[in-house]
Amino acid sequence: QDQDPTSGAMAFFQVTRRAASFGARRCVSALALTDFGANVPSAAEKCVKVHFVDPSGARKTVTGLVGQSVWEVGTENDIDLGPGNMTGVEHAVRSERWIEPLFGEGPTSGFDHVLLKGNGADTVVPKSWNEEKHLDEYWADEDLYPESRLASTLILSKEMDGISVFVPDRILDNIP
């Protein structure tokens, strides 16, 4: 009785596929009976409206997600904020007394300068020494304000819903 060596493998595959299909149906029907309504956040809870204002005064309102940087939101919506420059977050503020070092390099240039006003502008993480250094290196003193920040360092939170981001005249970053 010579058997095809692949027939055993094929039978095993078919049995496994049927079992997986049955298990998936059982899992789906169990999930259908579970009420996740109270625990699953809605899309509205994760969305943040950001109002960008360019140097000419033109406004563009876009939607970003909690956890995205202002630079990412602008770039995804064709708003030129300059080259991105984050190579990892330097630290995370966990409480008033605890700042966790995350060992990222932080900002590496100051091209993506923006000014923040409105909802949540006071809730952003304070400027790091590295961010302050790059703003000072790349921009003249008369171009910097207390609201000056680097877009790539600003992580959106729900408190920032409706924030206004003013984009100043850009400095040249594409000189050959």
Side-chain angles (χ1 to χ4, degrees), residues 19-94:
S21 174
F22 174 74
R25 277 184 281 165
R26 186 172 173 198
C27 181
V28 169
S29 59
L31 288 173
L33 297 175
T34 307
D35 179 25
F36 287 110
N39 298 331
V40 177
S42 69
E45 292 174 21
K46 296 293 183 184
C47 292
V48 178
K49 292 282 186 204
V50 181
H51 309 288
F52 285 94
V53 182
D54 72 8
S56 71
R59 298 174 183 269
K60 184 174 185 179
T61 300
V62 300
T63 302
L65 296 174
V66 171
Q68 281 186 307
S69 71
V70 170
W71 184 85
E72 290 171 327
V73 173
T75 303
E76 288 174 0
N77 291 282
D78 298 324
I79 299 169
D80 187 15
L81 298 177
N85 65 25
M86 275 301 272
T87 58
V89 180
E90 294 174 90
H91 60 271
V93 178
R94 304 295 186 197

Side-chain angles (χ1 to χ4, degrees), residues 9-25:
M10 195 59 131
F12 176 75
F13 173 73
Q14 289 173 346
V15 169
T16 305
R17 189 174 64 185
R18 277 192 220 117
S21 174
F22 174 74
R25 277 184 281 165

Side-chain angles (χ1 to χ4, degrees), residues 42-154:
S42 69
E45 292 174 21
K46 296 293 183 184
C47 292
V48 178
K49 292 282 186 204
V50 181
H51 309 288
F52 285 94
V53 182
D54 72 8
S56 71
R59 298 174 183 269
K60 184 174 185 179
T61 300
V62 300
T63 302
L65 296 174
V66 171
Q68 281 186 307
S69 71
V70 170
W71 184 85
E72 290 171 327
V73 173
T75 303
E76 288 174 0
N77 291 282
D78 298 324
I79 299 169
D80 187 15
L81 298 177
N85 65 25
M86 275 301 272
T87 58
V89 180
E90 294 174 90
H91 60 271
V93 178
R94 304 295 186 197
S95 71
E96 287 182 25
R97 297 182 57 189
W98 180 37
I99 298 176
E100 178 184 6
L102 299 176
F103 306 104
E105 189 174 331
T108 57
S109 75
F111 287 114
D112 58 334
H113 174 225
V114 295
L115 297 144
L116 297 181
K117 271 295 199 201
N119 292 352
D122 56 343
T123 65
V124 297
V125 176
K127 291 180 204 172
S128 69
W129 66 271
N130 201 5
E131 182 179 3
E132 193 76 52
K133 177 184 84 165
H134 287 299
L135 283 168
D136 290 341
E137 283 179 5
Y138 283 76
W139 295 87
D141 288 339
E142 62 267 8
D143 295 329
L144 295 176
Y145 300 90
E147 300 86 10
S148 293
R149 296 300 301 264
L150 296 178
S152 59
T153 64
L154 302 170

